[in-house]
């Protein structure tokens, strides 16, 4: 079978976006890494939130080999993945006012912690409410979003604002409106989204920046190792025991 032209074009598009965020968002990635490192050093906890497909990048940094053991998933029931039935319910829940406040109030998150909120459009009620409530509680909020949406769409939040308007640090994923990199003659809808690739890379870059910052301060980063390498389980057991009061996915 001959090589797929469109498959190659998708790789080119994704690589181009990765290069762009590397070059244009380096200062914001470093700032996000510093915020994560500050919380780790000060005894704070780390949380990540995303709804729908944005949740994939949040889940990717929780209990992950090579990741920070202190990163916890802040889950909103019904919005974490497509396992909810019907899948369209998750999208509907993103537009419900007050849901974020209820989740935060019942979570272990408190002042001094860091919350990374991932939302491609940043326009729905849930991520905006989440950011507003988290900052009111004294958390540092890092938003990973596409700023392009704020210029070409309208907010669905009652305030008319977007996620980026309520963050201490904003990391722009540079994803274009519609999240589809390819078009082709004879295919009506654009296709091949790259937001998961780029957003996951941004999350790992922020983790790397945090580890670097901690090492520079003489603090061993609380990183997990793969359980599929010799000694990995023992290493992770020691890390989890040391930081057990700041890890919530074990209980």
């Amino acid at each position: 079978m001959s090589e797929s032209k469109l498959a190659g074009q998708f790789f080119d598009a994704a690589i181009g976006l990765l290069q762009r965020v590397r070059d244009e968002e380096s200062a914001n990635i470093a700032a996000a890494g510093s915020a994560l490192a500050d919380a780790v050093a000060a005894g704070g906890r780390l949380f990540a939130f995303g709804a729908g497909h944005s949740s994939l990048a949040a889940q990717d940094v929780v209990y992950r080999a090579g990741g920070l053991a202190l990163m916890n998933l802040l889950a909103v029931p019904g919005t974490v993945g497509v396992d909810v039935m019907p899948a369209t319910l998750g999208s509907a829940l993103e537009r419900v006012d007050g849901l974020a406040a209820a989740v935060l109030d019942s979570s272990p998150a408190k002042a001094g912690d860091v919350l990374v909120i991932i939302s491609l459009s940043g326009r729905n009620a849930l991520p905006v409410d989440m950011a507003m409530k988290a900052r009111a509680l004294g958390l540092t909020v890092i938003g990973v979003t596409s700023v392009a949406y704020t210029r070409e769409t309208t907010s669905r939040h009652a305030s008319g604002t977007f996620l980026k308007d309520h963050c201490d640090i904003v990391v722009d994923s540079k994803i274009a409106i519609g999240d589809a990199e390819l078009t082709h003659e004879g295919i009506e809808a654009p296709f091949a989204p790259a937001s998961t690739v780029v957003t996951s890379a941004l999350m790992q870059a922020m983790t790397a920046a945090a580890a670097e910052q901690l090492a520079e301060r003489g603090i061993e980063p609380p990183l997990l190792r793969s359980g599929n390498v010799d000694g990995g389980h023992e290493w992770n057991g020691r890390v989890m025991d040391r930081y057990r009061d700041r890890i919530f996915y074990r209980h």
Side-chain angles (χ1 to χ4, degrees):
M1 183 177 290
S2 62
E3 190 174 297
S4 170
K5 180 179 178 182
L6 288 177
Q9 288 180 3
F10 174 75
F11 280 114
D12 290 342
I15 291 167
L17 283 163
L18 290 170
Q19 291 176 329
R20 187 178 173 198
V21 294
R22 179 197 64 191
D23 296 340
E24 298 179 16
E25 292 299 302
S26 58
N28 293 326
I29 293 168
S34 292
L36 295 173
D38 288 345
V40 172
R45 292 83 59 81
L46 312 177
F47 297 88
F49 164 77
H53 286 95
S54 290
S55 179
L56 296 174
Q59 295 178 59
D60 190 48
V61 293
V62 177
Y63 186 51
R64 180 62 188 263
L68 291 167
L70 275 59
M71 185 64 77
N72 301 277
L73 184 67
L74 185 65
V76 176
T79 70
V80 175
V82 294
D83 57 332
V84 63
M85 295 296 289
T88 50
L89 177 61
S91 297
L93 289 172
E94 289 187 62
R95 304 174 192 177
V96 175
D97 292 328
L99 184 56
V103 168
L104 274 170
D105 284 340
S106 61
S107 80
K110 63 182 183 180
D113 295 343
V114 174
L115 172 60
V116 182
I117 300 177
I118 304 166
S119 174
L120 179 60
S121 72
R123 68 187 299 224
N124 288 311
L126 185 54
V128 176
D129 277 344
M130 187 73 75
M132 294 173 71
K133 176 67 174 179
R135 290 183 86 188
L137 290 173
L139 279 75
T140 296
V141 176
I142 301 169
V144 183
T145 187
S146 171
V147 175
Y149 276 81
T150 68
R151 296 190 290 265
E152 300 181 45
T153 67
T154 56
S155 170
R156 288 179 174 144
H157 190 264
S159 67
T161 60
F162 289 80
L163 169 62
K164 76 171 186 64
D165 300 315
H166 305 283
C167 297
D168 298 286
I169 301 163
V170 175
V171 182
D172 185 2
S173 64
K174 313 292 182 181
I175 301 296
I177 297 291
D179 190 21
E181 295 301 318
L182 302 181
T183 58
H184 187 66
E185 184 179 355
I187 302 176
E188 291 191 24
F191 53 98
S195 61
T196 304
V197 173
V198 175
T199 305
S200 291
L202 286 171
M203 295 296 288
Q204 296 299 340
M206 288 159 48
T207 299
E212 180 181 31
Q213 284 271 343
L214 288 166
E216 289 176 353
R217 303 179 198 184
I219 300 171
E220 178 68 28
L223 296 168
L224 295 172
R225 292 190 175 188
S226 172
N228 294 315
V229 299
D230 292 341
H233 283 300
E234 292 76 14
W235 172 280
N236 292 342
R238 290 191 296 270
V239 171
M240 289 186 179
D241 183 62
R242 179 178 177 183
Y243 294 99
R244 60 185 178 274
D245 60 330
R246 299 153 74 180
I247 296 173
F248 304 102
Y249 49 80
R250 296 184 66 194
H251 307 298

